Amino acid sequence: GGITVYQGRGVGGGSLVNGGMAVVPKRSYFEEVLPSVDSDAMYNTFFPTANATLGVNNIDESWFESTEYYKFARTGRKTAERSGFQTTFVPNVYDFDYMKLEAAGSATKSALVGEVIYGNNAGKRSLDKTYLAQAAATGKLTVTTLHQVTAVSPAASGGGYTVEMDHIDEQGNVVATKTVTADKVFFAAGSVGTSKLLVAMKAQGHLPNLSGEVGQGWGNNGNIMVGRANHMWDATGAKQSAMPT
């Protein structure tokens, strides 16, 4: 109750619309929150591999200090510091070299025309350009769009699972229904879609062995947005990059 969720859909999922910030957590904090995870493996293998694969990079700070597209951030930083808050730069999966080309007018604008919440069409190393592209290149992956899974249950004969789905058009109308059988099913429909489907499958008896914790403890992703008054004598500028730095 009290939560409204707007769900977009696209090949690449949340990577298409997120702010792209790629911050490796402090190790001490990571180990406190996830004590059962092998932190040596995370910090020696998985975080570095993910950062390399996603092309994590940092904005050129001298460019940040001079470009009109981050005047709003510099104004916000000044306000924060006046209020006693510290600020720091954060790395991102958006290609900041590409952003410089956008600003120079020599590349198709994406971040510099406000593309984030509805997807970045250029500049961001989203999953469709990284992991999914690599997987598709092996010939072992087929991505089938415009399909919505409605039920998952153990297969009637033998092992594996039966997956029922609706084939929809771009307006959400069902144009066909399909059933496939798979040895393994991975739920990767995002926090909302996965929770929604698992709760339904447990309640309807399709997957009765699911933990009673399914659907519990759900919340937002921890972002807190703060609005600030803006004054004419401390302008933020009309041109603004959509990518946080």
Side-chain angles (χ1 to χ4, degrees):
I3 295 177
T4 301
V5 180
Y6 298 90
Q7 291 179 264
R9 293 289 185 269
V11 177
S15 74
L16 301 173
V17 299
N18 63 29
M21 292 181 286
V23 182
V24 175
K26 291 181 179 178
R27 181 162 179 157
S28 59
Y29 185 61
F30 180 90
E31 291 173 342
E32 177 185 344
V33 175
L34 296 170
S36 62
V37 176
D38 182 348
S39 58
D40 283 339
M42 292 301 299
Y43 285 83
N44 295 335
T45 302
F46 294 113
F47 283 138
T49 300
N51 284 339
T53 303
L54 296 174
V56 173
N57 63 147
N58 291 275
I59 194 167
D60 176 345
E61 292 186 24
S62 62
W63 187 75
F64 171 88
E65 300 294 349
S66 62
T67 178
E68 59 187 334
Y69 287 97
Y70 278 105
K71 182 179 181 181
F72 79 96
R74 297 194 298 270
T75 301
R77 177 181 61 188
K78 182 169 56 179
T79 304
E81 291 174 350
R82 275 205 308 260
S83 301
F85 293 100
Q86 294 180 313
T87 63
T88 188
F89 284 95
V90 293
N92 202 294
V93 300
Y94 201 88
D95 184 343
F96 287 116
D97 286 334
Y98 183 89
M99 187 183 288
K100 285 183 177 181
L101 297 178
E102 293 180 66
S106 55
T108 301
K109 284 185 170 63
S110 179
L112 301 192
V113 288
E115 289 188 348
V116 172
I117 299 297
Y118 301 106
N120 284 95
N121 289 295
K124 189 201 280 187
R125 299 181 182 97
S126 46
L127 295 183
D128 54 312
K129 299 171 184 174
T130 52
Y131 286 103
L132 289 176
Q134 291 174 10
T138 67
K140 298 178 181 179
L141 171 72
T142 301
V143 177
T144 307
T145 59
L146 296 172
H147 283 66
Q148 186 170 20
V149 173
T150 56
V152 180
S153 56
S157 57
Y161 296 87
T162 297
V163 182
E164 300 172 32
M165 65 193 75
D166 291 333
H167 181 191
I168 60 175
D169 62 20
E170 291 183 353
Q171 286 68 47
N173 302 305
V174 178
V175 296
T177 56
K178 297 182 181 180
T179 301
V180 299
T181 301
D183 293 333
K184 295 180 180 179
V185 177
F186 296 87
F187 287 73
S191 174
V192 180
T194 299
S195 298
K196 188 175 181 179
L197 190 57
L198 288 174
V199 167
M201 293 307 94
K202 182 173 177 62
Q204 294 169 21
H206 292 293
L207 295 173
N209 294 330
L210 286 175
S211 166
E213 294 296 313
V214 167
Q216 301 297 313
W218 189 87
N220 61 35
N221 68 354
N223 282 359
I224 298 174
M225 302 297 182
V226 179
R228 56 177 289 278
N230 193 52
H231 303 289
M232 294 300 292
W233 60 84
D234 211 8
T236 54
K239 294 182 179 180
Q240 300 183 4
S241 169
M243 303 311 294
T245 56

